[in-house]
Amino acid sequence: SKKLRHELEARGSIFQSTSDTEVFMHLLAKSSSSDLKQRIFETMSQVQGAYSLVLMGIGFLYAVRDPFGFRPLVIGKKKGSYVVASETCALDLIDAELVREVEPGEVVKITTQGLESFTNKAMNVNKSAFCSFEPIYFSRPDSKVYNEPVYNIRKKLGEELAHEDRVDADVVIAVPDSGVPMAMGYAAKTGLPYEVGLVRNHYVGRTFIEPNQAIRDFGVKLKLNPVRNVISGKKIVVIDDSVVRGTTSTKIVRMIRNAGAKEVHMRIASPPITHSCYFGVDTPKRKHLLAAQYCVEEMCRFIGADSLGFLSPDGLKKVLGEGSSNRYCFGCFGQGYREEINDEVSTQPTDQTGGPGLRYS
């Protein structure tokens, strides 16, 4: 987007924001075609990466999704009118019926006459690349992904994690909110009791995307509080959805120990995040990703847990279903990106400590 922005500025475009959406709009405006649909196709051919867009005008609406389908976009219907949203749960809130997803690379025109679907065949790709972090973390549990409830997917992730890595412990607790169905699945599979050991303050946002480490640290303290009578004197399995920088996990482990836990075993219902996302998720640079720097044993020492384990990439793909390798992007887990990335970005996991590299405990 930076390259396109500079090119557009050199051609006289004046930007009012830093939003990538504004780049899209300038490209639309610069197109020589008189047909809006053709302008959209031309713009799509110039833009790489993830986007789900809604364009509105007098008497029409266009829904546009990138050729790989990185981000969700769905169409609903209520009383003869169509609705476009990024998650199916938004349709539930207004009692709209889910019609279907906007397909990767599809442009849908909505008017009073109904739906018209257009596809730029020149942009067709063999594989889609829906972000695997959507069902793991971003999507609400009451939404659906590929017509399967996100809640069910997360519960299955916990079950598969238990199948791969059972811990001898007294109780299973979750890091809320996305970790809750994962912990329930883990507990059910292992036969260990599930308890609410951490209570979340819902007035605090997601801490991993805060720009300053001090803000992130304070946010974790505001966000979570331990239930001491659940934790004290027990061996605890803590289920979370992911580890990014590791600083939040460190705070959580310390918080649980201070609440009197005898042992703290951290289990993560996704593989280690070894690579940055270049398709819309504001993850840190690789040098700040804990799993890009350390093996699992070193990560465990960093966060201060008694043990640490991750779901394997194969386990994740198993839960996401047959053909998931052709439907999802697993780039942040070191499984390769669907679209080409700059040469300076390595797509192979590295261990910069001289240690044995990433392993799954």
Side-chain angles (χ1 to χ4, degrees):
S1 66
K2 288 181 180 178
K3 181 181 178 183
L4 283 171
R5 181 181 290 264
H6 292 153
E7 290 175 357
L8 287 165
E9 286 176 333
R11 291 162 58 190
S13 295
I14 299 174
F15 286 85
Q16 304 297 325
S17 72
T18 58
S19 170
D20 289 342
T21 307
E22 192 176 358
V23 174
F24 206 97
M25 296 310 296
H26 277 287
L27 289 170
L28 279 175
K30 292 286 185 182
S31 171
S32 58
S33 176
S34 59
D35 179 59
L36 181 55
K37 180 191 72 177
Q38 193 57 43
R39 286 186 176 211
I40 293 172
F41 281 156
E42 287 179 14
T43 300
M44 291 173 72
S45 68
Q46 297 176 70
V47 174
Q48 285 185 303
Y51 53 87
S52 288
L53 301 169
V54 175
L55 288 76
M56 296 179 67
I58 299 174
F60 68 86
L61 183 152
Y62 279 92
V64 184
R65 196 173 178 196
D66 73 77
F68 287 92
F70 283 105
R71 300 285 148 223
L73 195 63
V74 297
I75 300 171
K77 192 174 186 180
K78 181 178 181 180
K79 296 180 180 178
S81 298
Y82 288 99
V83 184
V84 179
S86 60
E87 285 193 56
T88 62
C89 65
L91 305 178
D92 298 333
L93 293 175
I94 60 171
D95 296 322
E97 171 193 356
L98 173 64
V99 176
R100 65 176 179 85
E101 291 187 14
V102 177
E103 296 297 324
E106 185 182 19
V107 175
V108 178
K109 183 180 181 181
I110 302 174
T111 66
T112 55
Q113 304 302 310
L115 300 180
E116 287 185 87
S117 174
F118 307 99
T119 303
N120 187 345
K121 294 182 179 179
M123 297 186 67
N124 278 356
V125 294
N126 294 325
K127 299 178 180 180
S128 61
F130 187 70
C131 175
S132 58
F133 220 55
E134 287 281 348
I136 292 170
Y137 178 69
F138 284 118
S139 296
R140 275 183 27 168
D142 51 339
S143 283
K144 290 183 178 180
V145 168
Y146 286 117
N147 211 34
E148 183 174 6
V150 171
Y151 177 89
N152 290 359
I153 295 174
R154 289 179 183 163
K155 198 167 182 181
K156 288 178 184 177
L157 288 171
E159 292 170 355
E160 183 63 24
L161 179 62
H163 174 74
E164 292 185 356
D165 192 350
R166 179 183 173 130
V167 182
D168 178 21
D170 299 316
V171 67
V172 177
I173 69 171
V175 178
D177 285 321
S178 51
V180 170
M182 297 168 175
M184 293 173 68
Y186 188 94
K189 189 74 173 180
T190 59
L192 294 171
Y194 167 74
E195 298 283 356
V196 178
L198 294 170
V199 176
R200 182 185 170 192
N201 176 357
H202 286 266
Y203 295 96
V204 179
R206 286 164 170 156
T207 54
F208 91 96
I209 57 175
E210 293 290 352
N212 181 279
Q213 185 61 51
I215 297 174
R216 288 193 294 270
D217 291 348
F218 187 58
V220 172
K221 195 170 182 180
L222 286 176
K223 188 174 183 178
L224 299 171
N225 197 46
V227 182
R228 292 180 180 272
N229 64 302
V230 170
I231 291 170
S232 182
K234 297 173 184 174
K235 294 185 285 185
I236 306 294
V237 182
V238 188
I239 307 296
D240 203 357
D241 55 74
S242 59
V243 173
V244 184
R245 297 177 180 87
T247 50
T248 297
S249 299
T250 301
K251 298 283 182 181
I252 289 170
V253 170
R254 186 182 307 150
M255 187 184 300
I256 294 170
R257 287 203 189 281
N258 289 341
K262 186 188 294 184
E263 295 176 8
V264 182
H265 301 275
M266 184 73 81
R267 290 297 179 271
I268 310 300
S270 66
I273 297 174
T274 57
H275 289 71
S276 301
C277 177
Y278 299 90
F279 304 103
V281 180
D282 192 20
T283 50
K285 294 180 179 179
R286 288 199 69 199
K287 65 181 180 181
H288 299 305
L289 294 172
L290 194 66
Q293 309 303 318
Y294 302 117
C295 68
V296 173
E297 288 82 359
E298 291 165 329
M299 292 173 69
C300 183
R301 289 195 294 271
F302 180 93
I303 67 173
D306 290 283
S307 71
L308 172 66
F310 291 85
L311 183 67
S312 68
D314 286 344
L316 173 59
K317 292 176 183 179
K318 178 182 175 182
V319 170
L320 294 179
E322 187 177 351
S324 60
S325 294
N326 294 327
R327 293 188 295 162
Y328 285 89
C329 175
F330 299 100
C332 61
F333 301 123
Q335 301 291 295
Y337 302 99
R338 282 282 190 269
E339 249 184 352
E340 264 185 58
I341 308 297
N342 295 337
D343 291 339
E344 66 267 19
V345 179
S346 167
T347 58
Q348 297 298 318
T350 59
D351 172 41
Q352 299 179 12
T353 63
L358 284 170
R359 297 194 301 272
Y360 300 101
S361 64

